[in-house]
Amino acid sequence: MTIEHYSFGCIRLNGKEYTSDLIIYPDRIDAKWWRKEGHLLDPEDLTEVLAAPPAVLVIGTGYSGCMEVPPATLETLRAAGIEVRAAPTGKAVEQFNSLQAEKKQVVAALHLTC
């Protein structure tokens, strides 16, 4: 699954546009994803990711990178054996597409605004 386009507040995958934060799994898209606290990523926000950990989790921290990924969240993910890449969402989209092209087992959790 390749991300075809990203701009502030909008992302397109497989010809369909989404306007809310989402998690892209290998077999589905969770377009109703939301965090416990808007601009803070908590391990509880990634329960499904942690249940079936991918090799890599790409985190899009928002258009301007406003969503914080605290050390405790990074530690939880790494303890589960997940490589974490966090970047502003535009850059995260590039990383996700690159990893997909390399056939890596990758999941993306993307904040689309801020």
Side-chain angles (χ1 to χ4, degrees):
M1 185 176 321
T2 300
I3 299 170
E4 300 159 356
H5 173 77
Y6 167 70
S7 60
F8 184 91
C10 184
I11 196 164
R12 186 174 57 241
L13 295 105
N14 299 333
K16 183 173 179 183
E17 289 195 355
Y18 298 87
T19 57
S20 62
D21 296 354
L22 46 76
I23 298 180
I24 304 168
Y25 295 95
D27 61 342
R28 65 188 171 88
I29 298 168
D30 178 359
K32 297 184 186 283
W33 179 59
W34 194 247
R35 291 159 312 286
K36 200 166 94 170
E37 294 182 42
H39 288 112
L40 182 71
L41 185 62
D42 189 271
E44 289 178 36
D45 301 326
L46 299 168
T47 304
E48 289 186 52
V49 174
L50 289 163
V56 183
L57 173 64
V58 175
I59 300 170
T61 59
Y63 187 85
S64 300
C66 292
M67 185 179 76
E68 181 185 348
V69 184
T73 300
L74 293 172
E75 290 170 18
T76 299
L77 292 165
R78 290 179 180 140
I82 302 170
E83 177 187 337
V84 180
R85 298 187 186 188
T89 302
K91 182 112 176 129
V93 165
E94 292 174 12
Q95 291 181 20
F96 176 81
N97 284 341
S98 177
L99 290 164
Q100 284 283 80
E102 295 173 19
K103 307 290 187 210
K104 300 273 185 178
Q105 184 191 21
V106 61
V107 168
L110 304 173
H111 178 50
L112 301 185
T113 59
C114 308

